[in-house]
Amino acid sequence: MEQPISTPITKIGVIGGGQLAWMMGPAAQKLGLELVVQTPQETDPAVAIAQAAILAPVADGAATATLATQCDVITFENEFIDCQGLQTLADQGTRFRPGLDVLALVLDKRHQREFFSRIGLPNPRYTFLDGDESPEELMTKAEMIGFPLVIKTRRLGYDGYGTAVVQARSQLSAAWDRFNHVPVLLEEFVPFKQELAIMVARSALGDVAIYPTVETHQVEHICRRVFAPARVSAAVAARMETIARTLVEQLQLVGIVGIECFLTQDDQVLINEMAPRTHNSGHYTLDACETSQFEQQLRAVGDRPLGPTDLTCAQAVMVNLLGLDQSEAAHYRKLEILKQWPGATLYWYNKGIRPGRKLGHVTQCLEEEAEAGAAAAAIEAIWYGV
Ligand code: ADP
């Protein structure tokens, strides 16, 4: 089992310099930690809050070797790394938290699913294709799952890029052609009642801190809004906590992980996927929990005691601000309105504006659960005009 590092940790390397690393800034300051980020562009959000930046792609192992010389421990805000390349560094003593074995699991959705099944956590029925299957083999595997089914690229999928629903047999071969026969998962389409998510952190000492279960709403496969806590029964919330604890203990994770689940019509919880880092479904913790997910990640990987995860208000809503097919000026006009919106906190990541890109988010804390839907709708009406 991994132990706390014997010398005090003061410098944390972060692979990736997007908004997730950017939101670690205030927490790092609070904990007296320095951040060094590895990220491709000078203009990436976290460069502004880091003590130093190594400008290189996240999968550039030589850059990570340099990062390792400047930090006590390396963590992640982006998992699309070159795991094999980094193994040599780990063998030479570089501390990665979470460990590279965890990162390797999530890099291929097939390995992730096999792991869930191995540790007894229910997940949607699936099979996989390597890419060289004949049309007959493709159909046989698809028939095992049934229609409609979902095709997902096994590697490098995010925010629904690399996910497609196939309604009927007749559409299968064309759909797979659109995937260029890369390795994919074929999985059952789950007609879920709700999508749920949960954040959980674990320290090197084995302490576990679990956040409330939240409800996420996706529009075109991308997270649009989050309600915390989720409006679910106590039994479902307890099941989510068991899944969260089981997962981090089985992984022996040091760090934080976001877990996304489907709640079926008969109240079964199926795990869809995990991300071994902070997660969009946990942004609400910045304003609505005793310890934000960003502070918690730094606490876990920096050998600081984990913080309490309780909500500080009855209900919170978080709305993502995605790039619109509109002028930059239109984006900034809407931002001005949101900045003034009563009770709301705006986070703007200062990224280049592109349609569909996650550019910022807004959180609002509420005292009444009944106000949540209307609060989210009002914020969305400003941004999306719906
Ligand atoms: P990504 O890794 O790209 O985020 P996900 O697996 O999270 O892909 O899928 C994105 C969204 O697509 C999910 O949040 C859900 O709304 C929908 N989705 C994914 N898999 C299924 C499924 N098996 N059944 C129904 N909807 C699904």
Side-chain angles (χ1 to χ4, degrees):
M1 186 177 134
E2 184 170 348
Q3 296 295 320
I5 296 173
S6 48
T7 49
I9 295 172
T10 58
K11 285 193 179 181
I12 297 190
V14 184
I15 298 190
Q19 64 264 24
L20 300 179
W22 176 68
M23 286 184 269
M24 289 176 192
Q29 234 177 7
K30 175 178 166 188
L31 297 172
L33 291 165
E34 289 187 15
L35 299 180
V36 184
V37 296
Q38 174 180 337
T39 194
Q41 309 281 341
E42 180 97 52
T43 50
D44 291 340
V47 174
I49 57 91
Q51 272 63 47
I54 293 170
L55 298 180
V58 293
D60 181 335
T64 306
T66 308
L67 181 69
T69 63
Q70 299 181 17
C71 307
D72 304 311
V73 62
I74 294 180
T75 191
F76 305 89
E77 74 111 56
N78 183 318
E79 60 272 28
F80 296 139
I81 54 162
D82 171 14
C83 252
Q84 276 174 348
L86 299 189
Q87 191 55 51
T88 321
L89 282 178
D91 294 342
Q92 290 163 354
T94 298
R95 293 281 196 143
F96 292 101
R97 288 181 162 178
L100 296 179
D101 50 341
V102 176
L103 273 292
L105 264 188
V106 297
L107 275 167
D108 186 327
K109 286 187 200 281
R110 173 187 166 194
H111 297 152
Q112 205 180 133
R113 285 300 172 80
E114 286 173 342
F115 176 73
F116 296 151
S117 301
R118 199 160 64 240
I119 65 170
L121 296 180
N123 58 97
R125 212 152 31 81
Y126 71 91
T127 185
F128 58 88
L129 301 175
D130 287 323
D132 53 3
E133 285 79 1
S134 66
E136 294 73 30
E137 286 169 321
L138 168 67
M139 192 52 79
T140 308
K141 288 204 160 184
E143 295 288 6
M144 276 162 47
I145 300 297
F147 292 92
L149 58 73
V150 183
I151 304 192
K152 295 180 178 179
T153 52
R154 276 164 46 185
R155 302 178 74 85
L156 303 177
Y158 71 101
D159 284 349
Y161 299 111
T163 296
V165 179
V166 182
Q167 294 295 344
R169 222 171 178 275
S170 56
Q171 297 163 4
L172 179 66
S173 133
W176 201 35
D177 287 346
R178 282 194 294 277
F179 276 77
N180 290 322
H181 299 207
V182 295
V184 293
L185 281 192
L186 299 180
E187 77 180 24
E188 66 172 309
F189 178 85
V190 181
F192 51 77
K193 188 155 83 175
Q194 278 167 302
E195 286 193 80
L196 304 176
I198 193 164
M199 300 301 307
V200 52
R202 184 176 172 280
S203 71
L205 289 171
D207 293 331
V208 174
I210 304 177
Y211 284 87
T213 291
V214 302
E215 190 178 328
T216 68
H217 294 191
Q218 275 51 240
V219 176
E220 289 172 5
H221 300 296
I222 302 183
C223 177
R224 170 65 70 85
R225 69 189 84 86
V226 172
F227 292 99
R231 295 159 292 184
V232 292
S233 68
V236 168
R239 179 80 193 115
M240 288 292 290
E241 286 187 20
T242 305
I243 288 173
R245 184 176 295 278
T246 306
L247 196 62
V248 290
E249 288 182 345
Q250 291 289 330
L251 288 169
Q252 292 282 292
L253 182 104
V254 179
I256 193 162
V257 61
I259 307 168
E260 294 178 73
C261 300
F262 300 128
L263 185 66
T264 65
Q265 300 295 332
D266 59 352
D267 272 358
Q268 299 300 306
V269 177
L270 304 178
I271 306 193
N272 176 26
E273 63 176 356
M274 64 174 170
R277 52 165 166 77
T278 55
H279 192 257
N280 197 168
S281 66
H283 288 359
Y284 77 96
T285 62
L286 276 171
D287 302 285
C289 288
E290 300 266 356
T291 309
S292 79
Q293 61 167 350
F294 304 99
E295 179 175 340
Q296 201 74 288
Q297 179 177 15
L298 294 176
R299 284 181 168 277
V301 305
D303 283 341
R304 307 306 197 259
L306 298 184
T309 55
D310 310 77
L311 280 168
T312 52
C313 53
Q315 182 83 36
V317 295
M318 190 282 312
V319 176
N320 269 341
L321 306 179
L322 301 180
L324 306 164
D325 208 357
Q326 297 176 11
S327 67
E328 290 204 0
H331 287 78
Y332 290 119
R333 273 197 301 275
K334 291 169 188 224
L335 269 186
E336 285 310 310
I337 302 172
L338 287 173
K339 269 187 205 160
Q340 316 292 332
W341 197 246
T345 311
L346 168 70
Y347 296 82
W348 183 250
Y349 311 147
N350 285 311
K351 301 200 298 196
I353 293 175
R354 279 206 308 268
R357 198 172 194 204
K358 286 179 180 167
L359 300 175
H361 74 266
V362 178
T363 307
Q364 190 163 357
C365 295
L366 304 160
E367 285 319 314
E368 297 288 336
E369 185 190 301
E371 297 167 8
I379 294 166
E380 288 183 68
I382 296 167
W383 190 255
Y384 296 99
V386 287

CSV table of all heavy atoms in Angstrom, one decimal, residues 321-367:
chain,number,residue,atom,x,y,z
A,321,LEU,N,-21.3,26.9,-19.1
A,321,LEU,CA,-21.4,27.9,-20.2
A,321,LEU,C,-20.6,27.3,-21.4
A,321,LEU,O,-19.3,27.4,-21.3
A,321,LEU,CB,-20.9,29.2,-19.7
A,321,LEU,CG,-21.5,29.8,-18.4
A,321,LEU,CD1,-20.9,31.1,-18.1
A,321,LEU,CD2,-23.0,29.9,-18.6
A,322,LEU,N,-21.3,26.8,-22.4
A,322,LEU,CA,-20.6,26.3,-23.5
A,322,LEU,C,-20.5,27.4,-24.6
A,322,LEU,O,-21.4,28.2,-24.7
A,322,LEU,CB,-21.3,25.1,-24.1
A,322,LEU,CG,-21.5,23.9,-23.2
A,322,LEU,CD1,-22.2,22.8,-23.9
A,322,LEU,CD2,-20.1,23.4,-22.7
A,323,GLY,N,-19.5,27.3,-25.4
A,323,GLY,CA,-19.3,28.3,-26.5
A,323,GLY,C,-20.5,28.2,-27.5
A,323,GLY,O,-21.1,27.1,-27.7
A,324,LEU,N,-21.0,29.4,-27.9
A,324,LEU,CA,-22.2,29.4,-28.7
A,324,LEU,C,-21.8,29.8,-30.2
A,324,LEU,O,-20.7,30.3,-30.4
A,324,LEU,CB,-23.1,30.5,-28.2
A,324,LEU,CG,-23.5,30.4,-26.7
A,324,LEU,CD1,-24.0,31.7,-26.2
A,324,LEU,CD2,-24.5,29.3,-26.5
A,325,ASP,N,-22.7,29.5,-31.1
A,325,ASP,CA,-22.5,29.8,-32.5
A,325,ASP,C,-22.8,31.3,-32.7
A,325,ASP,O,-23.7,31.6,-33.5
A,325,ASP,CB,-23.3,28.9,-33.4
A,325,ASP,CG,-22.7,28.7,-34.7
A,325,ASP,OD1,-21.6,29.3,-34.9
A,325,ASP,OD2,-23.2,27.9,-35.5
A,326,GLN,N,-22.2,32.2,-31.9
A,326,GLN,CA,-22.5,33.6,-31.9
A,326,GLN,C,-21.2,34.4,-31.8
A,326,GLN,O,-20.1,33.8,-31.6
A,326,GLN,CB,-23.4,34.0,-30.7
A,326,GLN,CG,-24.7,33.3,-30.8
A,326,GLN,CD,-25.6,33.6,-29.5
A,326,GLN,OE1,-25.3,34.4,-28.7
A,326,GLN,NE2,-26.7,32.8,-29.4
A,327,SER,N,-21.3,35.7,-32.0
A,327,SER,CA,-20.1,36.5,-32.0
A,327,SER,C,-19.5,36.5,-30.6
A,327,SER,O,-20.1,36.2,-29.6
A,327,SER,CB,-20.4,37.9,-32.4
A,327,SER,OG,-21.2,38.5,-31.4
A,328,GLU,N,-18.2,36.9,-30.5
A,328,GLU,CA,-17.5,37.0,-29.2
A,328,GLU,C,-18.2,38.1,-28.4
A,328,GLU,O,-18.5,37.9,-27.2
A,328,GLU,CB,-16.1,37.4,-29.4
A,328,GLU,CG,-15.2,36.3,-29.9
A,328,GLU,CD,-13.8,36.4,-29.6
A,328,GLU,OE1,-13.4,37.3,-28.9
A,328,GLU,OE2,-13.0,35.5,-30.0
A,329,ALA,N,-18.6,39.2,-29.1
A,329,ALA,CA,-19.3,40.3,-28.4
A,329,ALA,C,-20.6,39.8,-27.7
A,329,ALA,O,-20.9,40.1,-26.6
A,329,ALA,CB,-19.6,41.4,-29.4
A,330,ALA,N,-21.3,38.9,-28.4
A,330,ALA,CA,-22.6,38.3,-27.8
A,330,ALA,C,-22.2,37.5,-26.5
A,330,ALA,O,-22.9,37.6,-25.5
A,330,ALA,CB,-23.3,37.4,-28.8
A,331,HIS,N,-21.1,36.8,-26.6
A,331,HIS,CA,-20.7,36.0,-25.4
A,331,HIS,C,-20.5,37.0,-24.2
A,331,HIS,O,-20.9,36.8,-23.1
A,331,HIS,CB,-19.5,35.2,-25.6
A,331,HIS,CG,-19.6,34.0,-26.5
A,331,HIS,ND1,-19.8,34.1,-27.8
A,331,HIS,CD2,-19.8,32.7,-26.1
A,331,HIS,CE1,-19.9,32.8,-28.3
A,331,HIS,NE2,-19.9,32.0,-27.3
A,332,TYR,N,-19.7,38.1,-24.5
A,332,TYR,CA,-19.4,39.0,-23.4
A,332,TYR,C,-20.6,39.8,-22.9
A,332,TYR,O,-20.6,40.1,-21.7
A,332,TYR,CB,-18.2,39.9,-23.9
A,332,TYR,CG,-16.9,39.1,-24.0
A,332,TYR,CD1,-16.3,39.0,-25.3
A,332,TYR,CD2,-16.4,38.5,-22.9
A,332,TYR,CE1,-15.1,38.3,-25.4
A,332,TYR,CE2,-15.2,37.7,-23.1
A,332,TYR,CZ,-14.6,37.6,-24.3
A,332,TYR,OH,-13.5,36.9,-24.4
A,333,ARG,N,-21.5,40.1,-23.8
A,333,ARG,CA,-22.8,40.7,-23.3
A,333,ARG,C,-23.5,39.9,-22.3
A,333,ARG,O,-23.9,40.3,-21.2
A,333,ARG,CB,-23.7,41.0,-24.5
A,333,ARG,CG,-23.4,42.4,-25.2
A,333,ARG,CD,-24.6,42.8,-26.0
A,333,ARG,NE,-25.0,41.8,-27.1
A,333,ARG,CZ,-24.4,41.8,-28.3
A,333,ARG,NH1,-23.4,42.6,-28.6
A,333,ARG,NH2,-24.7,40.9,-29.2
A,334,LYS,N,-23.6,38.5,-22.6
A,334,LYS,CA,-24.3,37.6,-21.7
A,334,LYS,C,-23.5,37.5,-20.4
A,334,LYS,O,-24.1,37.4,-19.3
A,334,LYS,CB,-24.4,36.3,-22.3
A,334,LYS,CG,-25.4,36.3,-23.5
A,334,LYS,CD,-25.4,35.0,-24.3
A,334,LYS,CE,-26.2,35.2,-25.6
A,334,LYS,NZ,-27.1,34.2,-25.9
A,335,LEU,N,-22.2,37.5,-20.5
A,335,LEU,CA,-21.3,37.4,-19.3
A,335,LEU,C,-21.6,38.5,-18.3
A,335,LEU,O,-21.6,38.3,-17.1
A,335,LEU,CB,-19.8,37.4,-19.7
A,335,LEU,CG,-19.2,36.1,-19.9
A,335,LEU,CD1,-17.7,36.4,-20.2
A,335,LEU,CD2,-19.3,35.2,-18.8
A,336,GLU,N,-21.8,39.7,-18.9
A,336,GLU,CA,-22.0,40.9,-18.0
A,336,GLU,C,-23.3,40.7,-17.3
A,336,GLU,O,-23.4,41.1,-16.1
A,336,GLU,CB,-22.1,42.2,-18.9
A,336,GLU,CG,-20.7,42.7,-19.4
A,336,GLU,CD,-19.7,42.8,-18.2
A,336,GLU,OE1,-20.0,43.4,-17.2
A,336,GLU,OE2,-18.6,42.3,-18.4
A,337,ILE,N,-24.3,40.1,-17.9
A,337,ILE,CA,-25.6,39.9,-17.2
A,337,ILE,C,-25.4,38.8,-16.1
A,337,ILE,O,-25.8,39.0,-15.0
A,337,ILE,CB,-26.7,39.4,-18.2
A,337,ILE,CG1,-26.9,40.4,-19.3
A,337,ILE,CG2,-28.0,39.1,-17.4
A,337,ILE,CD1,-27.8,39.9,-20.4
A,338,LEU,N,-24.6,37.8,-16.4
A,338,LEU,CA,-24.4,36.7,-15.4
A,338,LEU,C,-23.6,37.2,-14.2
A,338,LEU,O,-23.8,36.8,-13.1
A,338,LEU,CB,-23.8,35.5,-16.0
A,338,LEU,CG,-24.7,34.7,-17.0
A,338,LEU,CD1,-23.9,33.6,-17.7
A,338,LEU,CD2,-25.9,34.1,-16.2
A,339,LYS,N,-22.6,38.1,-14.5
A,339,LYS,CA,-21.8,38.7,-13.4
A,339,LYS,C,-22.7,39.3,-12.4
A,339,LYS,O,-22.4,39.3,-11.2
A,339,LYS,CB,-20.9,39.7,-14.0
A,339,LYS,CG,-19.5,39.2,-14.4
A,339,LYS,CD,-18.6,40.3,-14.7
A,339,LYS,CE,-17.5,39.8,-15.7
A,339,LYS,NZ,-16.9,40.9,-16.5
A,340,GLN,N,-23.8,39.9,-12.8
A,340,GLN,CA,-24.7,40.7,-11.9
A,340,GLN,C,-25.8,39.8,-11.4
A,340,GLN,O,-26.6,40.3,-10.6
A,340,GLN,CB,-25.4,41.9,-12.7
A,340,GLN,CG,-24.5,42.7,-13.6
A,340,GLN,CD,-23.5,43.5,-12.8
A,340,GLN,OE1,-23.7,43.8,-11.6
A,340,GLN,NE2,-22.3,43.7,-13.3
A,341,TRP,N,-25.9,38.6,-11.8
A,341,TRP,CA,-27.0,37.7,-11.5
A,341,TRP,C,-27.1,37.5,-10.0
A,341,TRP,O,-26.2,37.0,-9.4
A,341,TRP,CB,-27.0,36.4,-12.2
A,341,TRP,CG,-28.3,35.7,-12.3
A,341,TRP,CD1,-28.6,34.5,-11.7
A,341,TRP,CD2,-29.5,36.2,-13.0
A,341,TRP,NE1,-29.9,34.2,-12.0
A,341,TRP,CE2,-30.5,35.2,-12.8
A,341,TRP,CE3,-29.8,37.3,-13.7
A,341,TRP,CZ2,-31.8,35.3,-13.3
A,341,TRP,CZ3,-31.1,37.4,-14.2
A,341,TRP,CH2,-32.1,36.4,-14.0
A,342,PRO,N,-28.2,37.8,-9.3
A,342,PRO,CA,-28.3,37.8,-7.8
A,342,PRO,C,-28.0,36.3,-7.3
A,342,PRO,O,-28.7,35.4,-7.8
A,342,PRO,CB,-29.7,38.2,-7.5
A,342,PRO,CG,-30.2,38.9,-8.7
A,342,PRO,CD,-29.5,38.4,-9.9
A,343,GLY,N,-27.1,36.2,-6.4
A,343,GLY,CA,-26.9,34.9,-5.8
A,343,GLY,C,-26.0,34.0,-6.6
A,343,GLY,O,-25.7,32.9,-6.1
A,344,ALA,N,-25.6,34.4,-7.8
A,344,ALA,CA,-24.8,33.4,-8.6
A,344,ALA,C,-23.3,33.8,-8.6
A,344,ALA,O,-23.0,34.9,-8.4
A,344,ALA,CB,-25.3,33.5,-10.0
A,345,THR,N,-22.5,32.7,-8.7
A,345,THR,CA,-21.1,33.0,-8.8
A,345,THR,C,-20.6,32.5,-10.2
A,345,THR,O,-20.9,31.3,-10.6
A,345,THR,CB,-20.3,32.2,-7.7
A,345,THR,OG1,-20.9,32.4,-6.5
A,345,THR,CG2,-18.8,32.6,-7.7
A,346,LEU,N,-19.9,33.4,-10.9
A,346,LEU,CA,-19.5,33.1,-12.3
A,346,LEU,C,-18.0,32.7,-12.3
A,346,LEU,O,-17.2,33.3,-11.7
A,346,LEU,CB,-19.7,34.3,-13.1
A,346,LEU,CG,-19.1,34.3,-14.5
A,346,LEU,CD1,-19.8,33.3,-15.4
A,346,LEU,CD2,-19.1,35.7,-15.1
A,347,TYR,N,-17.7,31.6,-13.0
A,347,TYR,CA,-16.3,31.2,-13.3
A,347,TYR,C,-16.1,31.3,-14.8
A,347,TYR,O,-16.8,30.6,-15.5
A,347,TYR,CB,-16.0,29.8,-12.7
A,347,TYR,CG,-16.1,29.7,-11.2
A,347,TYR,CD1,-17.4,29.6,-10.6
A,347,TYR,CD2,-15.0,29.9,-10.4
A,347,TYR,CE1,-17.5,29.5,-9.3
A,347,TYR,CE2,-15.1,29.8,-9.0
A,347,TYR,CZ,-16.4,29.7,-8.5
A,347,TYR,OH,-16.5,29.6,-7.1
A,348,TRP,N,-15.2,32.1,-15.2
A,348,TRP,CA,-14.9,32.2,-16.7
A,348,TRP,C,-13.5,31.8,-16.9
A,348,TRP,O,-12.6,32.4,-16.3
A,348,TRP,CB,-15.2,33.7,-17.1
A,348,TRP,CG,-15.0,33.9,-18.6
A,348,TRP,CD1,-14.0,34.6,-19.2
A,348,TRP,CD2,-15.9,33.4,-19.6
A,348,TRP,NE1,-14.2,34.6,-20.5
A,348,TRP,CE2,-15.3,33.9,-20.9
A,348,TRP,CE3,-17.0,32.7,-19.7
A,348,TRP,CZ2,-15.9,33.6,-22.1
A,348,TRP,CZ3,-17.6,32.4,-20.9
A,348,TRP,CH2,-17.1,32.8,-22.1
A,349,TYR,N,-13.3,30.8,-17.7
A,349,TYR,CA,-12.0,30.2,-17.8
A,349,TYR,C,-10.9,30.9,-18.7
A,349,TYR,O,-9.8,30.5,-18.8
A,349,TYR,CB,-12.1,28.7,-18.3
A,349,TYR,CG,-13.2,27.9,-17.6
A,349,TYR,CD1,-13.9,26.9,-18.3
A,349,TYR,CD2,-13.5,28.1,-16.2
A,349,TYR,CE1,-14.8,26.1,-17.6
A,349,TYR,CE2,-14.4,27.3,-15.6
A,349,TYR,CZ,-15.1,26.4,-16.3
A,349,TYR,OH,-16.1,25.6,-15.7
A,350,ASN,N,-11.4,32.0,-19.3
A,350,ASN,CA,-10.5,32.7,-20.2
A,350,ASN,C,-9.8,31.8,-21.3
A,350,ASN,O,-8.6,31.9,-21.5
A,350,ASN,CB,-9.4,33.4,-19.4
A,350,ASN,CG,-9.9,34.6,-18.7
A,350,ASN,OD1,-10.6,35.5,-19.3
A,350,ASN,ND2,-9.7,34.7,-17.4
A,351,LYS,N,-10.7,31.0,-21.9
A,351,LYS,CA,-10.2,30.2,-23.0
A,351,LYS,C,-10.7,30.8,-24.3
A,351,LYS,O,-11.7,31.6,-24.3
A,351,LYS,CB,-10.8,28.8,-22.9
A,351,LYS,CG,-10.4,28.1,-21.7
A,351,LYS,CD,-10.6,26.6,-21.7
A,351,LYS,CE,-11.9,26.0,-22.0
A,351,LYS,NZ,-12.0,24.6,-21.7
A,352,GLY,N,-10.1,30.5,-25.4
A,352,GLY,CA,-10.6,31.0,-26.7
A,352,GLY,C,-12.0,30.5,-26.9
A,352,GLY,O,-12.4,29.4,-26.6
A,353,ILE,N,-12.9,31.4,-27.5
A,353,ILE,CA,-14.3,31.1,-27.7
A,353,ILE,C,-14.5,30.2,-28.9
A,353,ILE,O,-14.1,30.7,-30.0
A,353,ILE,CB,-15.1,32.4,-27.7
A,353,ILE,CG1,-15.0,33.0,-26.3
A,353,ILE,CG2,-16.5,32.1,-28.1
A,353,ILE,CD1,-15.7,34.4,-26.2
A,354,ARG,N,-15.0,29.1,-28.7
A,354,ARG,CA,-15.4,28.2,-29.9
A,354,ARG,C,-16.7,27.5,-29.6
A,354,ARG,O,-16.9,27.1,-28.4
A,354,ARG,CB,-14.3,27.1,-30.0
A,354,ARG,CG,-13.1,27.5,-30.8
A,354,ARG,CD,-12.4,26.3,-31.4
A,354,ARG,NE,-12.2,25.1,-30.5
A,354,ARG,CZ,-11.1,24.9,-29.8
A,354,ARG,NH1,-10.1,25.8,-29.9
A,354,ARG,NH2,-10.9,23.9,-29.1
A,355,PRO,N,-17.6,27.3,-30.6
A,355,PRO,CA,-18.9,26.7,-30.3
A,355,PRO,C,-18.7,25.3,-29.7
A,355,PRO,O,-17.8,24.5,-30.1
A,355,PRO,CB,-19.5,26.6,-31.7
A,355,PRO,CG,-18.8,27.6,-32.5
A,355,PRO,CD,-17.4,27.7,-32.0
A,356,GLY,N,-19.4,25.1,-28.6
A,356,GLY,CA,-19.4,23.7,-28.0
A,356,GLY,C,-18.3,23.6,-26.9
A,356,GLY,O,-18.3,22.6,-26.1
A,357,ARG,N,-17.4,24.5,-26.8
A,357,ARG,CA,-16.3,24.4,-25.9
A,357,ARG,C,-16.7,24.8,-24.5
A,357,ARG,O,-17.5,25.8,-24.3
A,357,ARG,CB,-15.2,25.3,-26.3
A,357,ARG,CG,-13.8,25.0,-25.7
A,357,ARG,CD,-12.8,25.9,-26.3
A,357,ARG,NE,-11.5,25.3,-26.0
A,357,ARG,CZ,-10.3,26.0,-26.0
A,357,ARG,NH1,-10.4,27.3,-26.3
A,357,ARG,NH2,-9.2,25.5,-25.6
A,358,LYS,N,-16.3,24.1,-23.4
A,358,LYS,CA,-16.6,24.5,-22.1
A,358,LYS,C,-15.8,25.8,-21.7
A,358,LYS,O,-14.6,25.8,-21.6
A,358,LYS,CB,-16.3,23.4,-21.1
A,358,LYS,CG,-17.3,22.3,-21.1
A,358,LYS,CD,-16.9,21.2,-20.1
A,358,LYS,CE,-17.9,20.0,-20.2
A,358,LYS,NZ,-17.4,18.8,-19.5
A,359,LEU,N,-16.5,26.9,-21.6
A,359,LEU,CA,-15.8,28.2,-21.4
A,359,LEU,C,-15.9,28.7,-20.0
A,359,LEU,O,-15.2,29.6,-19.6
A,359,LEU,CB,-16.5,29.3,-22.3
A,359,LEU,CG,-16.4,29.0,-23.8
A,359,LEU,CD1,-17.1,30.1,-24.6
A,359,LEU,CD2,-14.9,28.9,-24.3
A,360,GLY,N,-16.9,28.2,-19.2
A,360,GLY,CA,-17.1,28.7,-17.9
A,360,GLY,C,-18.3,28.0,-17.2
A,360,GLY,O,-18.9,27.1,-17.9
A,361,HIS,N,-18.6,28.4,-16.0
A,361,HIS,CA,-19.8,27.8,-15.4
A,361,HIS,C,-20.3,28.8,-14.3
A,361,HIS,O,-19.6,29.7,-13.9
A,361,HIS,CB,-19.5,26.5,-14.8
A,361,HIS,CG,-18.7,26.5,-13.5
A,361,HIS,ND1,-17.3,26.3,-13.5
A,361,HIS,CD2,-19.1,26.6,-12.2
A,361,HIS,CE1,-16.9,26.4,-12.2
A,361,HIS,NE2,-17.9,26.6,-11.4
A,362,VAL,N,-21.5,28.6,-14.0
A,362,VAL,CA,-22.2,29.5,-13.0
A,362,VAL,C,-22.7,28.5,-11.9
A,362,VAL,O,-23.3,27.5,-12.2
A,362,VAL,CB,-23.3,30.3,-13.6
A,362,VAL,CG1,-24.0,31.1,-12.5
A,362,VAL,CG2,-22.9,31.2,-14.7
A,363,THR,N,-22.5,28.9,-10.6
A,363,THR,CA,-23.1,28.2,-9.5
A,363,THR,C,-24.1,29.0,-8.7
A,363,THR,O,-23.8,30.2,-8.5
A,363,THR,CB,-22.0,27.6,-8.6
A,363,THR,OG1,-21.1,26.9,-9.3
A,363,THR,CG2,-22.6,26.7,-7.5
A,364,GLN,N,-25.2,28.5,-8.3
A,364,GLN,CA,-26.0,29.2,-7.4
A,364,GLN,C,-26.4,28.3,-6.2
A,364,GLN,O,-26.8,27.2,-6.4
A,364,GLN,CB,-27.3,29.7,-8.2
A,364,GLN,CG,-28.1,30.7,-7.3
A,364,GLN,CD,-29.1,31.4,-8.2
A,364,GLN,OE1,-29.2,31.3,-9.4
A,364,GLN,NE2,-29.9,32.2,-7.5
A,365,CYS,N,-26.3,28.9,-5.0
A,365,CYS,CA,-26.7,28.1,-3.8
A,365,CYS,C,-28.0,28.6,-3.4
A,365,CYS,O,-28.4,29.8,-3.5
A,365,CYS,CB,-25.7,28.4,-2.7
A,365,CYS,SG,-24.0,27.8,-3.0
A,366,LEU,N,-28.9,27.6,-3.0
A,366,LEU,CA,-30.3,27.9,-2.6
A,366,LEU,C,-30.6,27.4,-1.3
A,366,LEU,O,-30.0,26.4,-0.8
A,366,LEU,CB,-31.2,27.3,-3.7
A,366,LEU,CG,-30.9,27.7,-5.1
A,366,LEU,CD1,-31.5,26.7,-6.1
A,366,LEU,CD2,-31.4,29.1,-5.4
A,367,GLU,N,-31.6,28.0,-0.7
A,367,GLU,CA,-32.1,27.4,0.6
A,367,GLU,C,-33.2,26.4,0.5
A,367,GLU,O,-33.5,25.7,1.4
A,367,GLU,CB,-32.4,28.6,1.6
A,367,GLU,CG,-31.2,29.3,2.1
A,367,GLU,CD,-30.0,28.4,2.5
A,367,GLU,OE1,-30.3,27.4,3.2
A,367,GLU,OE2,-28.9,28.7,2.1
